[in-house]
Amino acid sequence: MKIVIDDKIPYIREAVERLADEVVYLRGSAIGAADVRDADALIVRTRTRCDERLLAGSRVRFVATATIGFDHLDTDYLERAGISWMNCPGCNAGSVAQYVASVLILLKRMRGLRPAESTLGVVGFGHVGSRVAALAREMGFRVVVSDPPLGMEADLGSCDVISYHVPLTRRGPYPTSHMADEAFFNGLTRVPYIINTSRGEVVDNDALLRALDEGRVKDAIVDTWENEPRINRQLLERVMIGTPHIAGYSADGKVNADNMVIAGLCRFLGIENNVHIEPPALPADFRPSGSADDQRLQLYNPLNDSLKLKTAPEKFEELRGNYPLRREHF
């Protein structure tokens, strides 16, 4: 059995090499039809478009993406071609919630946001959004949720902070592509902070930049961008925090995805799964101190990732692909 795998998926190598006769590691964006022609399985991240162009005529019968999102998979084609596929729903929900919680602490400290007097609008109430809503309530925010497919409506226009946690969809009754567009920003009754950790196209980046410049949005925290890695550098310079699509990149989240992929591959092969991957430990001398907020920021402060990206935006993929160890707990 031969498996082709994105070389930036961490912690999975030893486990996957127990299951295959041959494993080939390639840069996700560079994986092409010739690379997968004689492969039986493909394990990717968001940078590999898995469609007929890539897979037609190949031996591939199983595709796994070690991510929550799967808009890079042409699922219609995969199902027509008889190729089994899977994503990893909820794998990095804790990691994204950690990112947003740290952002909210920074908004308190740097912008004077008062949770007890503020409303946070959570858009999307799936694995991630529900975790974010729970954390925000613990921090003292009034939380409202907008998720029309679940019958949950909220007046986002009156929110002080709006945080997006939806998949990217372009069809159906509730498309999310550019759900935050010019018309949305024009209709706001308050001047909110915008947080996007879902998919870049959920927020119209050009419209967000205009809303910031015109004072319709107070500030923004952007982790996911349109046209990655060729992001809008004007928007990057303008936002409070801009990071290279790493909100879900804790070691805990990555290991969750690895274990889900290995379990799915074993199910596909009809074999017993005897593998369980554990995330690496933090350095032994890591000793957070101070208040609960202090400790959260010592564990993870998104300003550090933002500084790196703002200093070298051309290194978007390098910063993302060589992300340092980050844990959700100590």
Side-chain angles (χ1 to χ4, degrees), residues 69-121:
F70 58 92
D71 47 279
H72 54 294
L73 307 186
D74 183 344
T75 56
D76 290 339
Y77 166 74
L78 295 177
E79 288 166 8
R80 287 199 311 273
I83 300 173
S84 297
W85 67 272
M86 66 168 288
N87 64 321
C88 298
C91 64
N92 61 4
S95 181
V96 177
Q98 177 191 41
Y99 180 101
V100 175
S102 292
V103 164
L104 294 175
I105 293 168
L106 292 171
L107 287 175
K108 287 195 299 179
R109 294 186 171 186
M110 298 173 65
R111 296 293 189 267
L113 186 70
R114 298 179 179 179
E117 301 171 10
S118 302
T119 298
L120 174 70

Side-chain angles (χ1 to χ4, degrees), residues 219-234:
D219 219 328
I221 295 85
V222 180
D223 180 61
T224 52
W225 307 75
E226 292 192 274
N227 305 313
E228 294 177 11
R230 297 172 296 279
I231 64 174
N232 185 327
R233 295 195 182 184
Q234 285 182 286

